[in-house]
Amino acid sequence: MEDLSALVQSLLEEEEKVPYSFYAKIQLDGLEEDVEIKFLRQQSSLSTEQTLTLTYHPLSIFRVRPVTRCTDTLPGHTEAVLHVSFSPDGRLLASGGGDTTVRFWTVTTALPKQTCKGHRDHVLCTAWSPDGNYFVSADKRGIVMLWDPITGKLQGQPIRAHAPKWVTSIAWEPLHHSPQDCCERFATSSKDGSVRIWNARTHAKLATLQGHTDSVECVKWGGSGLIYTASRDRTIKVWTADGTHDLGKLVRTLVGHGHRINTLALSSDSVLRSGPFDNRGKIYKDLKNDTKEAARELYKEALGGEPERLVSGSDDFTLFLWNPSKSKHAIKRLTGHQQVVNHLAFSPDGGRYIASASFDKKIKIWNGKTGEFLYTLVGHVGAVYQVTWSPDSRFLVSASKDSTAKLWEISSQKKPKGAKETLPGHFDEVYALDWSPHGAAVATGSKDRTIKIWKH
């Protein structure tokens, strides 16, 4: 079937991958009927010498419309907005920033839902649990807080996770890999050089991952039972994430960068982030059992039988592409940026592309499997802070110091002549960015203390 689809696409000279169904005309009880190819084996009357006429029909495909206009501006924060993120089901938006608050917003009405107070310093990182039951935030004083997104109430007492050193990154255990029927475990990394794993329900510290000799800048919890940490000591460490006895054991160290490592991205980031929720908007009757199994199936479908890939970005202006579950050697070293690489993102279609954002004002697009350079997106006049993909991998949005966000149309066949849309309106640097899992909206957060919602 895949070979036939590839043949049709090449004959039609299509740029985008479109799924097809194929039908053959055969005689059944004296009547000519169209039978789908996958059912032909059940027809015992067919001969291998027989010539069949095939017809093809394109199947419906999930497509995201490009965001072109600002539909809502959300005021409320009194300092810079440092983080915005949609909930896994896309119904809520969360934000955090320099005013020490965490705020929840209803996406459909663009109205504030809850304002959560408790932090005493900048909220530096935030993360949704993949099942949407928890929202965790961490501040510059090393304090971690867990919130109920519906009520806005603090769950238990604040955790002095890394105090007084600030927390640099948070990663939740994937739902399908959780030993429970819900998400309970998450990891935090810090300037103190350690990574710690916590139970969200009991607030107990389950493990401390030590081995880095400098600040740990990023932590990722993969879907295959491994945790990845990147540090200023120029190394990436791979740890086990299975069970309780083997939790946090060092598997291997990945070496190659010549300067501190700022960021990591996994080829499975998109599907791990949204857990059991996809663009079909399925409602689950049995939340405990059905959602975990759905998350497992979506994860397998997204990876397509391939291992997770990891990409790292550094102050040495380079990226490294890794297959961390199999080898300590990089697949490829990716060069071309002329300044610090500060953010990376794999496309949601199993990591077909990698987008890298840099202080050199450019975004580069790479082949996500081989590391081959494809092209550079030029248009920003300030450092590019962050990038995010549309759920169908056809578009990319970038946030910049130049106070704009830009929408780019991504194709493997040809380089875009320029940005498809420029999204102006912020009065200062755009720090935060996210595309909703269903694809309907993009949120941007700025130093001008506002959040803007962008739609088609």
Side-chain angles (χ1 to χ4, degrees):
M1 291 287 286
E2 289 184 2
D3 291 340
L4 283 173
S5 294
L7 177 61
V8 171
Q9 279 184 257
S10 64
L11 291 173
L12 297 177
E13 297 182 348
E14 291 179 332
E15 288 186 14
E16 295 175 15
K17 192 174 181 180
V18 178
Y20 292 98
S21 59
F22 294 89
Y23 297 85
K25 289 187 181 296
I26 63 172
Q27 293 285 336
L28 288 175
D29 299 326
L31 298 173
E32 191 175 62
E33 290 191 19
D34 284 333
V35 177
E36 196 169 352
I37 278 186
K38 62 183 178 182
F39 297 123
L40 280 181
R41 291 180 182 176
Q42 302 170 11
Q43 305 299 324
S44 56
S45 60
L46 287 178
S47 165
T48 55
E49 300 295 323
Q50 193 171 342
T51 302
L52 298 176
T53 302
L54 301 183
T55 58
Y56 67 89
H57 298 279
L59 299 174
S60 61
I61 188 169
F62 171 61
R63 288 180 181 272
V64 172
R65 295 190 295 179
V67 293
T68 56
R69 61 195 175 92
C70 177
T71 58
D72 299 282
T73 299
L74 313 181
H77 283 284
T78 56
E79 290 292 339
V81 180
L82 302 178
H83 297 277
V84 291
S85 57
F86 287 94
S87 60
D89 62 5
R91 296 180 181 179
L92 294 176
L93 177 71
S95 59
D99 63 0
T100 75
T101 66
V102 170
R103 294 170 189 262
F104 294 102
W105 314 80
T106 305
V107 172
T108 51
T109 60
L111 292 173
K113 183 176 177 66
Q114 306 289 348
T115 299
C116 308
K117 298 180 179 179
H119 287 290
R120 295 185 178 180
D121 213 324
H122 293 65
V123 178
L124 293 182
C125 44
T126 59
W128 288 90
S129 63
D131 58 8
N133 292 332
Y134 290 105
F135 185 79
V136 63
S137 59
D139 65 27
K140 200 173 178 180
R141 298 190 183 187
I143 306 298
V144 170
M145 296 187 179
L146 285 140
W147 309 93
D148 182 330
I150 305 301
T151 64
K153 291 183 178 179
L154 181 66
Q155 302 291 89
Q157 294 298 313
I159 304 171
R160 291 181 60 82
H162 298 272
K165 297 289 186 177
W166 70 64
V167 179
T168 55
S169 179
I170 302 169
W172 279 91
E173 179 177 31
L175 175 58
H176 74 270
H177 204 269
S178 172
Q180 310 299 326
D181 293 324
C182 59
C183 293
E184 284 192 349
R185 302 194 297 184
F186 66 95
T188 57
S189 63
S190 170
K191 290 282 182 187
D192 64 12
S194 72
V195 174
R196 293 174 186 176
I197 300 171
W198 307 88
N199 184 299
R201 181 173 50 86
T202 64
H203 287 201
K205 181 171 67 176
L206 304 177
T208 300
L209 281 53
Q210 291 183 318
H212 285 294
T213 57
D214 206 336
S215 167
V216 181
E217 299 295 293
C218 187
V219 58
K220 291 283 183 181
W221 198 316
S224 58
L226 295 171
I227 295 171
Y228 311 99
T229 58
S231 169
R232 285 193 177 206
D233 67 10
R234 302 175 294 178
T235 68
I236 300 164
K237 291 187 183 291
V238 184
W239 316 78
T240 57
D242 288 320
T244 53
H245 299 296
D246 292 331
L247 185 63
K249 286 188 176 180
L250 183 64
V251 177
R252 59 179 58 91
T253 301
L254 312 180
V255 180
H257 281 292
H259 211 304
R260 74 182 188 196
I261 302 167
N262 299 314
T263 181
L264 297 174
L266 282 170
S267 57
S268 55
D269 272 342
S270 179
V271 70
L272 295 181
R273 165 241 179 119
S274 54
F277 305 102
D278 63 4
N279 55 70
R280 293 183 282 269
K282 185 176 179 181
I283 304 297
Y284 297 97
K285 293 180 181 178
D286 187 344
L287 287 177
K288 284 191 174 180
N289 299 317
D290 291 353
T291 52
K292 187 172 180 179
E293 187 55 37
R296 182 179 287 108
E297 290 304 314
L298 288 170
Y299 175 75
K300 287 180 181 177
E301 181 185 335
L303 260 66
E306 296 182 356
E308 278 181 331
R309 278 160 284 123
L310 180 77
V311 65
S312 54
S314 167
D315 271 19
D316 64 8
F317 310 166
T318 71
L319 291 71
F320 274 80
L321 182 62
W322 312 86
N323 187 347
S325 62
K326 300 283 181 70
S327 172
K328 65 179 182 180
H329 301 292
I331 298 171
K332 191 168 184 179
R333 180 172 180 256
L334 287 58
T335 61
H337 280 296
Q338 296 172 326
Q339 285 290 331
V340 171
V341 179
N342 59 291
H343 191 247
L344 301 165
F346 274 97
S347 58
D349 55 358
R352 185 181 176 192
Y353 302 112
I354 299 167
S356 57
S358 170
F359 280 15
D360 65 8
K361 309 174 189 176
K362 297 177 178 67
I363 303 133
K364 290 187 182 291
I365 305 297
W366 317 79
N367 184 306
K369 296 183 179 180
T370 65
E372 177 191 358
F373 171 70
L374 298 178
Y375 46 78
T376 303
L377 305 178
V378 181
H380 283 294
V381 294
V384 184
Y385 290 142
Q386 206 170 344
V387 289
T388 185
W389 288 91
S390 64
D392 65 352
S393 304
R394 293 168 58 232
F395 300 105
L396 183 79
V397 171
S398 54
S400 170
K401 184 179 181 179
D402 64 13
S403 80
T404 70
K406 289 183 183 290
L407 175 82
W408 312 84
E409 188 167 11
I410 305 300
S411 166
S412 61
Q413 305 296 322
K414 56 185 178 180
K415 174 185 174 180
K417 292 180 180 178
K420 186 177 179 67
E421 298 285 345
T422 296
L423 310 177
H426 283 296
F427 296 112
D428 214 326
E429 304 176 31
V430 183
Y431 288 144
L433 182 66
D434 196 23
W435 204 314
S436 68
H438 295 167
V442 168
T444 55
S446 170
K447 191 178 177 181
D448 68 7
R449 307 190 293 273
T450 66
I451 299 165
K452 288 186 182 290
I453 306 295
W454 310 85
K455 294 182 181 178
H456 180 71

